[in-house]
Amino acid sequence: MTTTSRTGPGTEPVPDSATSEALATDSDSAAASGPSLRKTAPGSASPASGGAPPVTESEAPATDKRPRLLLTVLLAALFMAALDVFIVNVAAPTIGSELHSSGADLQLVIAGYAITYAVLLVTGARLGDRLGHGRVHLAGLALFTAASLACGLAQGPAQLIVFRLVQGAGSALMIPQVLSLIQRTFTGEARARALGAYSAVLAVGAAAGQVAGGVLVSADLFGTGWRPVFLVNVPVGAVLLVVGRRVLPLGRAGGEERNRPLDLPGLVLLAAAVSLLTVPLVLGQEEDWPAWSWLSLAASLVLLALFCGHESRLARRGGAPLIALRVLRHPGIGLAVLRILAVMSVNAGFMFALTLHVQGGLGYSALRAGLGFAPTAAVFGAVSLTWRRWPAPWQRRLAPAGFALTALSVAVVGHAFHDGGDGGAVLYAGYTGVGAGLALAFSPTLTGALATVRPQDAADASGLLATVTQLGQLIGVASFGTLFLNRLESLGVPGPYTSAEAFSACAWALAGTAVAGAVSGLVLRRR
């Protein structure tokens, strides 16, 4: 489901991506494209925000003295969470053989993390509002680190599945606080740079998960096989906990957010709706799409409609909905939701289908398959961190241009593999184009959507867009993975040629989705 946003009376739409003027204005200038963001001290009120909530004494030292270290801690935690969505993919065959796991077990090991992650993200954002973003972030980090240790020590598939669910819950607590703390700590140009780094880390972590998984499994450190893909999080998480206690704000939020009651009926409805959506997306292909999977998808739409109705009624009565409706109506949020769904679906679907082809069809090792994603990850990170330096007139068009480049590059990769070979030199040009295109489609979209969100709405916007990001990845893996596997099955005899044909069909579908993302802004603007 996508949400189209409309401006209020007397306002103008915000452009697709925030321009330099909108993000870097000082106290004497204002952007023509949207509300100005004046450079104020972190935690103080700004005209764009309509007044930030008061900051407690315990928050002030962290945001005033050490914002760069604070950002480093937050982004390191984000990188671990993004990494863990994909790092298990290339380790799955080893896990299956060592733990004697069934296909359904492996599906749950891979996807259980994403299920609880997606289901609890909005709840994690709201708890940060009530209890303090730094405090909830550290609690989630501690839970994630402990669950990673438990995963690495698991003795059977059932234990591993349970601990992966707990790992996802830890991520759901800590990750929404990253965007919320960025919104509350940085202003103007500094906020734009922080959001660019957030975008880079998020998608580079996804691609690097494949690389890291391949390296760790192939290394077989001390004969531990697949276990280091989880245990690597333990020392990193421990260091982040120690440093985080020193640099993150540990006080509770001030203002109205602190006293907002938790919308328990809304929480139950949303969690049930997301669960009924994600479980069949994850397990439907493995079970050959039985009747229960379609009933579950239909029920998720019904519950989502009930959730929207409940939130609307609660807001009209003056209550505190789980997701503030003013965030959904904010200029640019509807288009951002649509584009983030598209770019994350293409990103996850491309990596998943490509992994299936090169490991299953071409017989690559886990290490070689993982390293194939290195150019995409490196270029994505570089572009995400530098696009703000490009000429201002270009920045309005970066998102649609990024989708167009992605469509072309995915088609190039599909064509490079079409004869059942290794793709040759042109393949790496395609990988580079995919990384650059996805970065241009994602980073300006996220930055533009969050650039003018008021600090008191940071948790709502963070939870919403983080949930959309996870759902986009789940939809991409489920839809394009299903397309690849169904096409492979219909072709009959397995081998590099049939696998290449299946990937080629998948590549054209991915390219079509990217084209839809490119034209989405034009469609919504005309409406």
Side-chain angles (χ1 to χ4, degrees):
M1 173 177 144
T2 57
T3 307
T4 57
S5 61
R6 300 179 184 274
T7 57
T11 62
E12 295 180 359
V14 172
D16 297 340
S17 60
T19 63
S20 296
E21 295 86 347
L23 292 173
T25 53
D26 58 26
S27 58
D28 297 319
S29 63
S33 61
S36 66
L37 292 173
R38 300 181 187 270
K39 292 183 178 179
T40 58
S44 61
S46 69
S49 68
V55 179
T56 65
E57 290 183 1
S58 60
E59 289 178 274
T63 55
D64 289 342
K65 295 180 180 179
R66 289 173 283 189
R68 290 186 180 179
L69 186 55
L70 178 146
L71 183 63
T72 300
V73 170
L74 293 175
L75 294 184
L78 175 68
F79 183 79
M80 282 201 308
L83 196 79
D84 259 58
V85 175
F86 291 97
I87 196 171
V88 186
N89 282 357
V90 294
T94 307
I95 293 174
S97 62
E98 291 190 12
L99 295 184
H100 307 289
S101 306
S102 67
D105 288 338
L106 288 179
Q107 283 287 97
L108 287 173
V109 167
I110 293 171
Y113 173 84
I115 291 172
T116 50
Y117 192 176
V119 167
L120 297 176
L121 269 167
V122 172
T123 304
R126 179 60 61 235
L127 289 176
D129 253 356
R130 289 178 57 83
L131 304 177
H133 299 293
R135 183 181 298 173
V136 174
H137 178 83
L138 290 175
L141 178 58
L143 183 61
F144 177 89
T145 303
S148 296
L149 176 62
C151 286
L153 300 177
Q155 299 301 306
Q159 292 181 17
L160 186 55
I161 290 168
V162 170
F163 295 141
R164 282 286 281 174
L165 292 170
V166 176
Q167 216 184 13
S171 291
L173 287 177
M174 70 178 177
I175 296 311
Q177 319 316 324
V178 176
L179 277 177
S180 295
L181 286 168
I182 287 174
Q183 293 289 89
R184 291 171 178 272
T185 304
F186 300 94
T187 58
E189 183 70 20
R191 180 189 288 179
R193 288 195 299 268
L195 289 173
Y198 175 95
S199 302
V201 168
L202 185 65
V204 170
Q210 305 274 11
V211 178
V215 171
L216 291 172
V217 172
S218 297
D220 191 20
L221 299 172
F222 308 108
T224 54
W226 54 270
R227 297 181 187 276
V229 302
F230 300 112
L231 296 177
V232 69
N233 294 326
V234 177
V236 178
V239 171
L240 292 179
L241 282 169
V242 173
V243 179
R245 286 188 60 84
R246 295 179 175 272
V247 301
L248 295 180
L250 300 181
R252 299 176 69 179
E256 63 180 16
E257 293 93 339
R258 178 175 177 176
N259 299 317
R260 286 175 66 177
L262 188 62
D263 175 19
L264 291 178
L267 171 60
V268 172
L269 285 171
L270 182 61
V274 176
S275 299
L276 289 171
L277 174 66
T278 55
V279 170
L281 287 179
V282 168
L283 299 179
Q285 170 62 36
E286 177 72 19
E287 302 292 333
D288 197 25
W289 296 104
W292 68 260
S293 64
W294 296 107
L295 292 174
S296 179
L297 290 172
S300 73
L301 297 178
V302 173
L303 288 180
L304 187 59
L306 291 175
F307 169 76
C308 293
H310 166 76
E311 297 293 281
S312 179
R313 289 190 299 273
L314 186 61
R316 285 197 302 268
R317 294 197 303 264
L322 194 63
I323 299 178
L325 297 181
R326 62 178 178 269
V327 172
L328 296 175
R329 292 193 295 264
H330 194 281
I333 290 292
L335 180 58
V337 166
L338 180 61
R339 283 182 167 170
I340 289 173
L341 274 174
V343 74
M344 285 294 107
S345 295
V346 171
N347 180 41
F350 175 75
M351 288 193 293
F352 185 72
L354 186 57
T355 300
L356 292 177
H357 172 56
V358 298
Q359 285 193 272
L362 300 182
Y364 287 7
S365 67
L367 177 60
R368 185 177 180 184
L371 291 177
F373 293 101
T376 302
V379 173
F380 192 108
V383 172
S384 295
L385 293 173
T386 59
W387 68 269
R388 293 270 307 132
R389 302 174 188 171
W390 298 5
W394 295 9
Q395 294 183 20
R396 295 173 182 266
R397 302 175 179 85
L398 289 183
F403 275 113
L405 177 59
T406 299
L408 175 62
S409 301
V410 168
V412 167
V413 173
H415 180 73
F417 280 126
H418 80 283
D419 61 354
D422 61 6
V426 70
L427 181 65
Y428 294 95
Y431 286 162
T432 300
V434 170
L438 289 173
L440 293 176
F442 182 74
S443 297
T445 297
L446 182 69
T447 302
L450 293 177
T452 56
V453 170
R454 301 185 303 172
Q456 55 263 49
D457 291 334
D460 295 282
S462 301
L464 174 65
L465 295 182
T467 301
V468 167
T469 298
Q470 290 305 309
L471 289 178
Q473 291 177 339
L474 284 172
I475 291 169
V477 169
S479 58
F480 297 111
T482 297
L483 174 61
F484 176 88
L485 293 172
N486 286 347
R487 181 63 176 161
L488 190 64
E489 183 178 355
S490 69
L491 292 172
V493 181
Y497 291 101
T498 54
S499 180
E501 172 62 27
F503 180 77
S504 179
C506 190
W508 284 111
L510 289 162
T513 304
V515 170
V519 303
S520 58
L522 295 175
V523 173
L524 289 183
R525 197 174 295 118
R526 288 177 180 174
R527 291 181 61 184

